[in-house]
């Protein structure tokens, strides 16, 4: 068992997560045996000859629910004593970068994908550790939500991506990422900011921090308040925020 984390995806549509596990950086991480995966088709555990996996809800209402029995059998087939079972649902807890970090430390993550109107509540009550939503909108497929969760989690596992890449990206310290530029120096009359060509590391770091603050104030002001309450903003950051407001009389949203 060399892997750092194994994703066990319980689904009626294994082709959706399979495409993700067999592409790009994820495929390399699997090949390096850092990440392992197991796609379990819930339909293989249906009780009848028609392979029925859903039925209408007691009490009436629209849509179909996934049956409890095939899901329970699929869970038992994993033969795992220690595991964390996640159910992807729009009525779950909000998924965040910190949640992804926490999950990246697990050895066996079981991800249950719903379809239709959801699953029988007794599966949630008996087996699910976390109900997770990836955002305030409804997808037709828990598999797409599962791919999002798996992507956010696996890239935080040691050895998948260079540590430096993770340290500077959005949501680190509750701030969004600074803008980046590559060749050419001039594109459609727009020059790369001079400071980035200066080779002056301290100035570059200061400029980038200021840009992170500007971007966060503009796109996600709620994160500034969060960063402040969690002690992520230094005295220099607070000074920069003041300067940003003074520099832009109407505040950072004036162009909106
Ligand atoms: N299934 C359908 N919509 C979802 C969402 N927003 N998050 C997680 N799972 C879902």
């Amino acid at each position: 068992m060399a892997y750092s984390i194994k994703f066990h995806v319980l689904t009626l549509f294994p082709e959706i997560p399979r495409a993700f596990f067999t592409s790009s950086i994820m495929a390399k991480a699997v090949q390096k045996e850092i990440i392992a995966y197991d796609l379990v088709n819930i339909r293989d555990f249906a009780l009848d000859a028609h392979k029925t996996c859903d039925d209408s809800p007691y009490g009436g209402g629209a849509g179909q629910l996934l049956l409890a029995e095939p899901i329970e059998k699929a869970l038992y087939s994993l033969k795992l004593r220690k595991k964390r079972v996640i159910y992807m649902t729009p009525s779950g807890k909000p998924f965040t970068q910190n949640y992804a970090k926490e999950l990246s430390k697990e050895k066996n993550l079981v991800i249950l994908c719903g379809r239709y109107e959801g699953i029988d509540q007794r599966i949630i009550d008996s087996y699910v550790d976390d109900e997770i939503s990836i955002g305030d909108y409804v997808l037709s497929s828990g598999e797409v939500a599962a791919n999002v969760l798996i992507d956010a989690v696996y890239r935080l596992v040691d050895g998948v991506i260079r540590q430096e890449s993770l340290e500077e990206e959005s949501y680190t310290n509750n701030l969004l990422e600074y803008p980046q530029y590559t060749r050419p120096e001039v594109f459609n009359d727009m020059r790369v900011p001079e400071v980035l060509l200066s080779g002056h590391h301290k100035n570059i770091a200061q400029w980038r921090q200021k840009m992170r603050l500007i971007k966060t104030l503009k796109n996600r002001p709620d994160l500034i308040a969060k960063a402040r309450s969690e002690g992520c903003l230094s005295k220099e950051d607070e000074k920069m925020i003041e300067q940003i407001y003074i520099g832009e009389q109407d505040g950072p949203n004036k162009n909106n």
Side-chain angles (χ1 to χ4, degrees), residues 55-196:
D55 209 335
S56 47
Y58 282 117
Q64 298 281 96
L65 294 182
L66 292 194
L67 299 172
E69 287 123 320
I71 297 174
E72 181 177 65
K73 286 176 76 188
L75 280 167
Y76 283 158
S77 80
L78 302 176
K79 297 191 171 63
L80 286 172
R81 266 199 302 133
K82 242 183 138 271
K83 58 188 177 306
R84 186 150 169 187
V85 180
I86 289 163
Y87 170 49
M88 303 310 303
T89 167
S91 36
K93 288 191 203 146
F95 189 52
T96 61
Q97 189 66 16
N98 279 341
Y99 213 151
K101 248 180 233 159
E102 184 192 323
L103 296 179
S104 72
K105 299 189 178 88
E106 295 287 336
K107 186 85 181 163
N108 284 290
L109 264 194
V110 178
I111 303 170
L112 176 55
C113 304
R115 277 260 161 173
Y116 317 114
E117 294 302 309
I119 64 176
D120 191 301
Q121 181 62 31
R122 290 165 292 188
I123 288 293
I124 299 173
D125 295 344
S126 313
Y127 299 108
V128 170
D129 298 302
D130 305 65
E131 292 176 83
I132 297 184
S133 165
I134 62 159
D136 292 345
Y137 40 79
V138 179
L139 304 167
S140 53
S141 142
E143 286 78 8
V144 171
N147 277 354
V148 170
L149 180 137
I150 294 163
D151 193 344
V153 170
Y154 95 99
R155 59 195 295 288
L156 300 176
V157 173
D158 276 354
V160 174
I161 280 179
R162 286 202 345 255
Q163 190 58 32
E164 309 94 83
S165 310
L166 299 177
E167 274 163 14
E168 306 219 319
E169 66 189 10
S170 288
Y171 300 111
T172 309
N173 294 329
N174 290 312
L175 296 179
L176 303 182
E177 202 182 4
Y178 49 78
Q180 306 234 54
Y181 302 83
T182 185
R183 281 177 298 168
E185 260 182 54
V186 182
F187 167 71
N188 288 350
D189 291 337
M190 291 176 281
R191 289 196 69 78
V192 171
E194 211 55 46
V195 64
L196 299 178

Side-chain angles (χ1 to χ4, degrees), residues 226-237:
K226 190 159 177 252
R228 199 169 274 140
S229 74
E230 291 180 11
C232 300
L233 295 183
S234 65
K235 273 197 196 125
E236 288 72 41
D237 291 333

